[in-house]
Amino acid sequence: MMSTLIMSLVIVMISLIVMLLASILSKKSIVDREKSSPFECGFDPKSSSRMPFSLRFFLITIIFLIFDVEIALILPMILIIETSNIMIWSLTSIIFIMILIIGLYHEWNQGMLNWSD
């Protein structure tokens, strides 16, 4: 018991020392405006170097990723139908799919699925 406690303390101390060294060594001492500005062959930039990003596109992407992960969770349910209790499997599947449908309805109700306003 005592050796586990000592080993845990050693691991925590080593982790804290590494994090402290990383934060000290990664600091930039001088921030230069010219070095942080975009480079265009020595001339001043004609326009902003950052392109505007559509927040609507980001939200649609997040919704796609969420439903993509949910599909990855649904697919193994087909494989375990033979080895599990059919009543528990049905109840679990119905609850999971109902949560997905309620989430989809909420996103649709909030207007997140409309690409253009």
Side-chain angles (χ1 to χ4, degrees):
M1 178 69 184
M2 201 61 167
S3 64
T4 307
L5 182 63
I6 292 172
M7 190 60 110
S8 298
L9 287 173
V10 168
I11 290 171
V12 168
M13 290 302 294
I14 290 173
S15 299
L16 288 173
I17 290 170
V18 168
M19 287 191 298
L20 182 67
L21 283 174
S23 67
I24 289 172
L25 295 176
S26 68
K27 300 280 185 196
K28 283 187 175 181
S29 58
I30 299 172
V31 177
D32 189 13
R33 187 176 83 74
E34 292 297 322
K35 285 186 178 180
S36 60
S37 66
F39 179 72
E40 279 192 20
C41 302
F43 299 107
D44 289 332
K46 285 185 174 181
S47 63
S48 174
S49 63
R50 307 273 190 251
M51 293 183 60
F53 187 74
S54 171
L55 187 61
R56 176 72 74 193
F57 176 73
F58 176 73
L59 290 174
I60 294 290
T61 305
I62 294 297
I63 290 170
F64 170 76
L65 287 175
I66 289 170
F67 280 103
D68 192 39
V69 169
E70 290 165 351
I71 292 297
L73 292 173
I74 288 175
L75 286 176
M77 291 171 65
I78 298 168
L79 298 175
I80 65 167
I81 191 170
E82 295 175 359
T83 59
S84 64
N85 184 353
I86 192 69
M87 200 65 173
I88 295 173
W89 182 87
S90 298
L91 184 64
T92 306
S93 301
I94 289 171
I95 289 172
F96 186 71
I97 291 173
M98 285 304 295
I99 291 171
L100 293 181
I101 290 172
I102 290 169
L104 181 63
Y105 175 74
H106 178 70
E107 290 167 357
W108 182 28
N109 197 21
Q110 294 292 321
M112 288 291 128
L113 300 178
N114 296 334
W115 183 256
S116 61
D117 291 331

